[in-house]
Amino acid sequence: EAEWVRHTDAEESTKRRVFPLVLVLDNVRSAFNVGSIFRTADACGCLEIFTTGITPHPNGSGAEKISKSALGAERVIATRHFVTTKQAVDYLRSDRPNFMLVGMETTERSKCYTNVRYPWSDIFIED
């Protein structure tokens, strides 16, 4: 295992800043893409990643491929797997009722995420 790949300063390594953001990966086929998402989520301070359906996940199918592209982030980000996306959304609605659910997909009705006003945009999170 290549621990040298994850660079953290010793003093800062215990202070990972986390934001109230949960990603739900809906039937993503590529384990390498999932690993890349884990790595990006780690860099952005995401709280958790939910995988659904056929999406490879660190505790199941595709774990070896995920670890090759996640470079250790799959051990840092909390994760859960749900059989369906509906189960993941229902869990979020019941367990985290104050979270806003935002779907991101490319469709004819899609809006650019930078052109949307989010209710939490005036909130500053400080640890």
Side-chain angles (χ1 to χ4, degrees):
E1 189 122 356
E3 284 300 316
W4 57 269
V5 174
R6 287 193 59 78
H7 174 63
T8 56
D9 293 331
E11 192 175 304
E12 294 180 15
S13 63
T14 58
K15 298 179 185 177
R16 181 173 180 270
R17 190 165 184 184
V18 178
F19 298 95
L21 179 64
V22 177
L23 303 181
V24 179
L25 307 184
D26 175 31
N27 293 311
V28 177
R29 292 185 182 275
S30 168
F32 295 113
N33 286 347
V34 172
S36 177
I37 292 168
F38 267 87
R39 196 171 67 246
T40 303
D42 180 25
C44 295
C46 288
L47 177 66
E48 195 167 9
I49 294 179
F50 293 171
T51 55
T52 67
I54 63 167
T55 305
H57 51 96
N59 303 316
S61 68
E64 188 175 314
K65 291 178 181 177
I66 289 171
S67 69
K68 286 182 180 181
S69 59
L71 302 176
E74 78 282 8
R75 295 188 312 265
V76 175
I77 302 286
T79 185
R80 297 172 197 233
H81 183 77
F82 294 87
V83 176
T84 68
T85 304
K86 182 178 181 336
Q87 288 174 338
V89 170
D90 288 346
Y91 175 83
L92 280 170
R93 284 184 173 148
S94 67
D95 193 61
R96 297 190 175 108
N98 294 328
F99 276 39
M100 177 183 180
L101 299 177
V102 177
M104 299 185 86
E105 184 62 72
T106 305
T107 69
E108 288 184 21
R109 296 182 348 174
S110 297
K111 296 178 185 175
C112 180
Y113 73 96
T114 59
N115 294 335
V116 176
R117 176 130 176 105
Y118 300 98
W120 63 83
S121 62
D122 296 329
I123 298 172
F124 177 73
I125 301 168
E126 186 175 64
D127 40 48

